[in-house]
Amino acid sequence: MLSFHTYTRSSTMASRGAGSTNSPILLLLLLAAFAAGASATTVTITNRCSYTVWPAVVPAGRGVELRPGSSWTLDVPVITGATNIWGRTDCSFDKGGRGHCQTGDCGGLQCASGSSTNPAVTKAEFSVYNGSYYYGITTLKGFNLPLDFSCSSGDALRCRQAGCQVAYPYQKYYQHTCGANGSQLQVVFCP
């Protein structure tokens, strides 16, 4: 898994470390990306809802408790594939991170690649290819939270209510691009 460095803007958030993998293919991809001069990207996730949201970041296997008005900033050294970010609500976890959420559930605090999620989630998705981020919002499986998703050098996307897939259908996901080098990505729940 990718290693994320987390910086919290609120002392009320809890975070757990990402795991690692021994995959030689992943290691080769990461080394190739570094050799090509890939630079870090900052992803900031902000909760403007009046209730707590537990964002999930997959495939990095990350998740935190994000109270109203709080932000979670991830410094992503290199992204080598597709990344999904969604909000989970009404969650309850034990000290080991085991538990469930009413919406967006993936079976625990840390959502790993291949985690099954509750079908009704509003997802911010992005991937990197040839020095650009390709990004979008999908509600292909449903809607659970209003969401804005933007790139500092690209379009600002908005999904404020069920049915926003008409504005940003999954087929047009790759129509939104921005330069990956030094760009900042922003996800806002309940904008």
Side-chain angles (χ1 to χ4, degrees), residues 62-190:
R62 304 290 289 173
V64 298
E65 177 182 1
L66 202 56
R67 296 179 189 247
S70 297
S71 292
W72 179 32
T73 300
L74 304 164
D75 180 20
V76 186
V78 177
I79 297 171
T80 58
T83 299
N84 296 298
I85 301 171
W86 71 93
R88 300 171 290 165
T89 61
D90 298 320
C91 299
S92 177
F93 301 107
D94 65 18
K95 290 184 182 190
R98 293 175 299 273
H100 294 286
C101 301
Q102 186 68 35
T103 69
D105 189 42
C106 65
L109 178 63
Q110 307 296 320
C111 298
S113 277
S115 297
S116 63
T117 62
N118 182 316
V121 293
T122 314
K123 255 187 215 181
E125 299 180 326
F126 64 98
S127 61
V128 66
Y129 181 73
N130 282 341
S132 293
Y133 285 120
Y134 295 85
Y135 63 102
I137 297 173
T138 182
T139 58
L140 187 62
K141 294 182 178 181
F143 177 92
N144 71 325
L145 287 171
L147 179 113
D148 281 1
F149 185 28
S150 61
C151 178
S152 60
S153 62
D155 296 327
L157 308 179
R158 290 168 174 50
C159 184
R160 306 280 175 95
Q161 60 189 8
C164 67
Q165 71 270 21
V166 174
Y168 303 108
Y170 193 74
Q171 304 87 291
K172 295 186 179 183
Y173 170 63
Y174 290 106
Q175 288 184 352
H176 304 286
T177 64
C178 67
N181 192 6
S183 290
Q184 297 179 6
L185 300 172
Q186 174 79 33
V187 174
V188 180
F189 297 112
C190 301

